[in-house]
Amino acid sequence: MAQVRAAGLNLAAIPFPLVARLSFMSIPTAVAMFAAMSYYGDFLKAQSPNFYDPSHYEEFDFIVGYPAIAKYFFWRVEEMPTPLEPIPSMAVYLQRLASTDYQYRTTPQNNSCLAMDEQRSLWPRGKGLGGTSNLNFMIYQRGNPRDYDELADITGDEEWRYQNLLQFFKKSEDYHGNYGNDKYHGSTGPLYVGKLKTTYLADKFVEAAKELGYPERDLNSEQSAGFSQLDATLKDGRRWSTYEAFIRPIEPYRSNLVIYRYATVIKVHLDRRKSAYGVTYVRHGMQKFVRARREVIISAGAVDSPKLLLLSGIGPRSQLHDLGLPCRANLPVGQNLQDHVTTLVGPFTMRAKGLLIDRDLNLNALNAYMRNGEGPMSSLAGVSAVGFITSALSKDPKWPDIGYFMSDSGVHRSLADDFTRILGMKEGVLQKYYGPHVGSDANFVLVMLGKPKSVGELRLRSRSPWDKPLIDPKYFSHPDDIKTMKHAVKFIVGLYEQTKTYRELGAKLASNPFPGCEQVAFKSDAYFECYIRHLTMTIYHPSGTCAMGKRRNDTVAVVDSQLRVLKTRGLRVADTSVLRFITNANLNAPAILVGEKAAFLVRRHWALQFVVCSKINYYLLLNEERLCFYTQRV
Ligand SMILES: Cc1cc2nc3c(=O)[nH]c(=O)nc-3n(C[C@H](O)[C@H](O)[C@H](O)COP(=O)(O)OP(=O)(O)OC[C@H]3O[C@@H](n4cnc5c(N)ncnc54)[C@H](O)[C@@H]3O)c2cc1C
């Protein structure tokens, strides 16, 4: 680069369309190429006579669906991360690609998602080791302490109280974020949490909120109403996925860890005592069985974990019978689906330089990223600040129920097309709405309903493991949700149009009405409701589909507080599906917390068993270790 500059070339003048745009066009091709290489590499590795012998099976102590629980494991997952995934600005381009995204869609929504194609919401879920952390936006938020205290209250298990979980948040963390405080943050864990190296207008957002009485604070300590700059799972401008943090460093050295890539589990097997003894999976076209000596731990996420339980005969009896599946355990699997419904408010145009891709993504940007992991390419789609406020409908004034994520990425030329693609919108809607503002510096704010009261459901579409499930989040089915969202949207418009900080920058919400809401008085209550019901989005946080609860007399519970699937043995679930109440924030940190907690529970259980068993074995059973393991299931 230095030579290029010396040769008199102005890198900043070489514009986006010429360099980055070309490569963006070919992102799907590049991703598909990496995916194919990785697939065939793994296919060749799998070749052995045993692989083609249907009667051959392997045996492991634990069969696990996903990371964090790093001990003796067999594994699944589809693809290897591609080299593009670590680059933050690539995040939006990883959705809707067959090799990185499961590409789920909800059923058509009632009176919401009106601007979306068929009134459906797209639900991307990440493939590959690292799962959805391979394509998420890397925002690190733990949620509110009361989100976890609720779990302790409902299960009667004090271990789920935030104060007792804090050690697990800290254990996973290597914190280098905006607000160091040893009481809340760890520095020796594998998960790097850092701050953004390049921000544009994040400080203005925090400053304006202060004018309205909202302090700047570390929202990852004792979350209460306030605003802050972003902490992110990002190291030197590189995505720090759960694979990067928890698996990659140990994979080559753990002789007791076996990872099978490209293996899709299609059934968990229960014996006559309803004890899980293995799984069937499909890998490179071969259907194989693998036996678990101790436990099967499912960690396929809030969509696929319930799907797998249902396919295995664990779920609502009538639903399973309708599909001709025998019911082995009648449990409300898939019934407590919760998601953070969201809308995107903006553009708030202003006279302040934010990130404008057409202008700022040039060879200089590439240079800055390659050298120091900074600049526009390290940006999380411009998201750089976050805030939480409490509405009048919240259970507790110290328990915010609305979240904001501010992006200072302005209206670039392809914005409407990009959003139309990743959100699955009707063609022309965003083109019409954003069209007059193309080329403007602006902010957008994702407004999130942090504690939604609407509850949806997930069901099997058919008995085939290859069919996508029916997902119905039932957005705004509870009347409080739309009221809270309207309040949330009006607050943020006020923040931009009434605070001194933003008035000085001439900030103003786009003055053309959202297509479909032209008939309603602009900025009236009815207008904002219309806006929200049209631009209804997910912020991609499905949860609660295998809800945690009491072992008895609990009509919502699927797992207990030890994450054990009720009415079965030797089977746990460990992912966001166990969160009975959605946490008031993004779900990556809570997912990792569940993983850490599950690892602790598994270790504690088997350490105790091991001591007791080894004594019994030694003195009574002539060292028949297996007998002991088989009889001591969780
Ligand atoms: C576009 C997007 C942006 C997001 N942004 C953020 C953000 O900025 N911050 C944040 O905190 N959260 C964010 N999230 C949410 C967050 O990343 C997820 O909630 C979290 O990663 C979920 O973790 P999980 O372990 O529950 O599931 P997943 O990460 O989805 O893991 C499930 C794993 O199981 C595998 N699997 C599925 N089915 C099977 C099967 N049958 N057999 C074997 N394996 C299977 C999958 O391949 C995957 O590897 C975002 C999500 C999306 C989609």
Side-chain angles (χ1 to χ4, degrees):
M1 284 297 169
Q3 289 89 322
V4 179
R5 219 177 287 125
L9 268 183
N10 177 4
L11 299 181
I14 303 180
F16 176 71
L18 215 66
V19 278
R21 195 81 186 123
L22 265 182
S23 52
F24 278 9
M25 292 294 197
S26 51
I27 285 170
T29 321
V31 171
M33 206 178 71
F34 287 123
M37 273 162 36
S38 161
Y39 180 88
Y40 286 108
D42 191 74
F43 175 72
L44 293 177
K45 252 191 349 209
Q47 301 305 301
S48 75
N50 283 340
F51 184 68
Y52 292 100
D53 175 1
S55 64
H56 173 265
Y57 68 87
E58 289 173 278
E59 211 171 297
F60 295 89
D61 286 342
F62 297 92
I63 300 177
V64 188
Y66 194 65
I69 315 165
K71 234 186 167 189
Y72 329 118
F73 297 122
F74 159 92
W75 213 214
R76 109 39 155 231
V77 165
E78 289 253 339
E79 326 281 340
M80 279 289 283
T82 71
L84 296 177
E85 280 165 28
I87 306 172
S89 53
M90 291 291 122
V92 287
Y93 298 94
L94 298 169
Q95 294 176 35
R96 302 201 74 178
L97 301 181
S99 51
T100 52
D101 176 6
Y102 284 103
Q103 305 183 66
Y104 292 121
R105 285 175 93 192
T106 68
T107 55
Q109 293 300 286
N110 206 357
N111 220 0
S112 64
C113 300
L114 300 175
M116 306 296 169
D117 207 15
E118 298 176 5
Q119 282 183 234
R120 295 171 194 263
S121 178
L122 298 191
W123 279 24
R125 308 301 297 162
K127 291 181 174 176
L129 290 164
T132 305
S133 74
N134 288 332
L135 51 75
N136 71 12
F137 288 112
M138 293 159 262
I139 298 164
Y140 182 82
Q141 283 293 320
R142 293 174 179 173
N144 190 282
R146 286 162 191 77
D147 297 331
Y148 302 96
D149 294 350
E150 257 189 328
L151 290 174
D153 293 342
I154 200 98
T155 57
D157 183 344
E158 287 301 303
E159 287 192 1
W160 284 93
R161 212 159 279 293
Y162 179 71
Q163 282 314 320
N164 300 325
L165 292 176
L166 191 54
Q167 56 174 313
F168 296 108
F169 277 123
K170 289 173 73 174
K171 182 167 179 253
S172 61
E173 208 181 30
D174 180 10
Y175 188 77
H176 300 263
N178 290 289
Y179 309 93
N181 176 348
D182 289 354
K183 185 169 172 211
Y184 294 103
H185 294 290
S187 56
T188 53
L191 184 74
Y192 193 96
V193 179
K195 48 185 158 195
L196 306 184
K197 280 193 167 181
T198 306
T199 59
Y200 299 86
L201 300 168
D203 52 338
K204 298 286 175 208
F205 192 63
V206 177
E207 210 176 296
K210 278 189 199 156
E211 278 185 52
L212 299 182
Y214 291 91
E216 176 176 5
R217 56 163 46 119
D218 178 3
L219 296 163
N220 284 314
S221 54
E222 300 276 344
Q223 183 201 71
S224 56
F227 284 66
S228 85
Q229 304 233 4
L230 205 69
D231 283 344
T233 45
L234 194 66
K235 185 179 185 182
D236 297 329
R238 238 179 96 91
R239 175 189 291 276
W240 215 243
S241 68
T242 50
Y243 171 67
E244 203 62 50
F246 295 93
I247 299 298
R248 194 200 281 275
I250 59 161
E251 192 184 355
Y253 311 110
R254 282 282 182 100
S255 55
N256 57 0
L257 170 71
V258 179
I259 297 179
Y260 282 171
R261 294 177 160 88
Y262 303 95
T264 300
V265 176
I266 57 172
K267 186 172 179 176
V268 178
H269 296 273
L270 302 179
D271 64 16
R272 270 183 305 161
R273 297 172 65 214
K274 298 190 181 164
S275 190
Y277 63 90
V279 303
T280 295
Y281 66 96
V282 175
R283 184 169 179 235
H284 299 309
M286 288 298 293
Q287 186 163 315
K288 308 282 286 183
F289 170 75
V290 59
R291 181 175 281 279
R293 282 192 286 260
R294 302 191 193 188
E295 289 191 33
V296 173
I297 303 164
I298 300 179
S299 190
V303 173
D304 283 293
S305 285
K307 179 181 162 193
L308 193 50
L309 289 184
L310 290 164
L311 285 169
S312 311
I314 302 169
R317 186 184 302 279
S318 60
Q319 250 184 57
L320 295 173
H321 278 181
D322 288 350
L323 292 171
L325 285 165
C327 179
R328 303 300 314 282
N330 183 14
L331 288 170
V333 174
Q335 294 302 293
N336 179 53
L337 174 61
Q338 296 174 34
D339 184 29
H340 285 139
V341 69
T342 311
T343 193
L344 182 68
V345 185
F348 293 101
T349 52
M350 62 183 73
R351 296 184 303 272
K353 202 171 165 212
L355 167 66
L356 194 57
I357 289 182
D358 300 323
R359 176 187 64 210
D360 300 328
L361 210 53
N362 46 39
L363 279 187
N364 256 350
L366 183 64
N367 188 20
Y369 186 72
M370 303 289 272
R371 281 167 163 245
N372 304 319
E374 60 189 23
M377 287 187 72
S378 68
S379 157
L380 313 175
V383 179
S384 52
V386 50
F388 290 96
I389 66 162
T390 312
S391 81
L393 290 169
S394 173
K395 282 188 187 169
D396 175 337
K398 287 198 174 147
W399 195 352
D401 56 349
I402 294 167
Y404 297 110
F405 302 93
M406 188 281 290
S407 163
D408 47 26
S409 180
V411 193
H412 59 267
R413 248 172 300 172
S414 67
L415 183 75
D417 293 344
D418 292 346
F419 280 2
T420 300
R421 185 181 67 85
I422 64 169
L423 299 177
M425 297 194 57
K426 289 178 182 150
E427 281 299 330
V429 175
L430 287 185
Q431 286 78 356
K432 185 170 175 199
Y433 186 54
Y434 295 154
H437 311 287
V438 168
S440 312
D441 277 302
N443 282 188
F444 287 86
V445 181
L446 264 174
V447 177
M448 174 185 92
L449 191 61
K451 297 299 283 181
K453 296 180 183 166
S454 305
V455 175
E457 68 167 342
L458 177 147
R459 308 161 71 97
L460 288 183
R461 186 182 298 270
S462 77
R463 295 165 56 155
S464 165
W466 310 111
D467 277 350
K468 292 180 178 165
L470 296 165
I471 302 168
D472 184 2
K474 299 189 178 21
Y475 291 137
F476 300 125
S477 54
H478 193 293
D480 283 358
D481 286 356
I482 191 77
K483 287 186 202 152
T484 311
M485 271 301 262
K486 272 195 285 185
H487 169 78
V489 170
K490 283 193 283 188
F491 173 91
I492 208 67
V493 174
L495 181 99
Y496 275 91
E497 295 193 340
Q498 282 155 31
T499 55
K500 185 165 159 277
T501 309
Y502 280 123
R503 271 207 311 267
E504 281 172 2
L505 302 177
K508 187 155 86 35
L509 178 63
S511 56
N512 50 325
F514 194 84
C517 302
E518 294 91 343
Q519 308 307 325
V520 204
F522 188 58
K523 288 193 188 169
S524 64
D525 230 44
Y527 175 77
F528 287 125
E529 178 160 345
C530 178
Y531 186 100
I532 296 162
R533 289 193 186 277
H534 274 74
L535 195 52
T536 318
M537 297 158 53
T538 172
I539 196 170
Y540 315 111
H541 296 158
S543 53
T545 42
C546 304
M548 190 190 305
K550 284 197 278 285
R551 284 195 78 81
R552 280 178 218 295
N553 303 327
D554 186 338
T555 53
V556 179
V558 173
V559 300
D560 66 7
S561 65
Q562 313 265 308
L563 308 179
R564 296 172 296 196
V565 177
L566 303 176
K567 301 182 183 176
T568 68
R569 310 180 79 202
L571 180 60
R572 292 189 215 241
V573 179
D575 54 41
T576 51
S577 67
V578 304
L579 297 173
R580 180 165 181 155
F581 312 101
I582 195 165
T583 54
N584 180 35
N586 316 65
L587 286 194
N588 196 31
I592 293 166
L593 169 90
V594 172
E596 288 285 5
K597 179 72 183 164
F600 168 80
L601 291 170
V602 171
R603 271 199 304 269
R604 185 172 64 185
H605 176 86
W606 288 103
L608 195 67
Q609 294 283 316
F610 186 76
V611 173
V612 177
C613 282
S614 55
K615 296 275 183 255
I616 297 172
N617 285 332
Y618 188 76
Y619 293 112
L620 301 176
L621 300 174
L622 308 174
N623 226 0
E624 277 290 336
E625 198 182 272
R626 268 185 191 189
L627 180 62
C628 189
F629 285 148
Y630 279 163
T631 53
Q632 301 292 324
R633 283 179 178 278
V634 285

